[in-house]
Amino acid sequence: TFVLLGKWLECRAKGSTGDAITALLALQARTALLMDQDDSAQPTAGEVEREVDARLLLEGDIVKVLPGAKIPADGVVLSGCSSVDESALTG
């Protein structure tokens, strides 16, 4: 009976771990606002935002994070200031 209890507790713990991992993956950003340089010769040429899949980001890409949005990748803040919800990291 102790063996069955131990196996039941183990299965329950594995299920809880799977649920926790699924919940963490749901917190991950799916898209990112990638900042591209506009190569046209127009007088209003500058940076253009386009939404891309977060998995397509490369090292050196510049991403714009709007207030309240999820951060799609690790990086360095180049300009601006805000606060971040760190609950995904700290629990």
Side-chain angles (χ1 to χ4, degrees), residues 27-36 48-66 68-75:
L27 294 175
Q28 186 176 1
R30 305 234 186 274
T31 60
L33 280 177
L34 183 63
M35 303 299 291
D36 283 336
V48 177
E49 299 174 5
R50 65 185 170 105
E51 193 167 356
V52 297
D53 191 326
R55 295 175 293 181
L56 299 177
L57 293 175
L58 301 173
E59 186 175 339
D61 284 346
I62 297 176
V63 177
K64 182 177 184 178
V65 180
L66 299 173
K70 297 176 183 175
I71 299 176
D74 290 345

Side-chain angles (χ1 to χ4, degrees), residues 77-89:
V77 176
L78 297 177
S79 67
C81 62
S82 189
S83 60
V84 177
D85 179 12
E86 298 175 1
S87 61
L89 300 174

Side-chain angles (χ1 to χ4, degrees), residues 2-13:
F2 285 119
V3 174
L4 289 175
L5 176 63
K7 288 187 179 206
W8 177 77
L9 289 172
E10 181 182 4
C11 287
R12 185 173 164 193

Side-chain angles (χ1 to χ4, degrees), residues 16-38:
S16 297
T17 302
D19 293 342
I21 291 172
T22 302
L24 281 175
L25 289 175
L27 294 175
Q28 186 176 1
R30 305 234 186 274
T31 60
L33 280 177
L34 183 63
M35 303 299 291
D36 283 336
Q37 290 295 324
D38 186 3

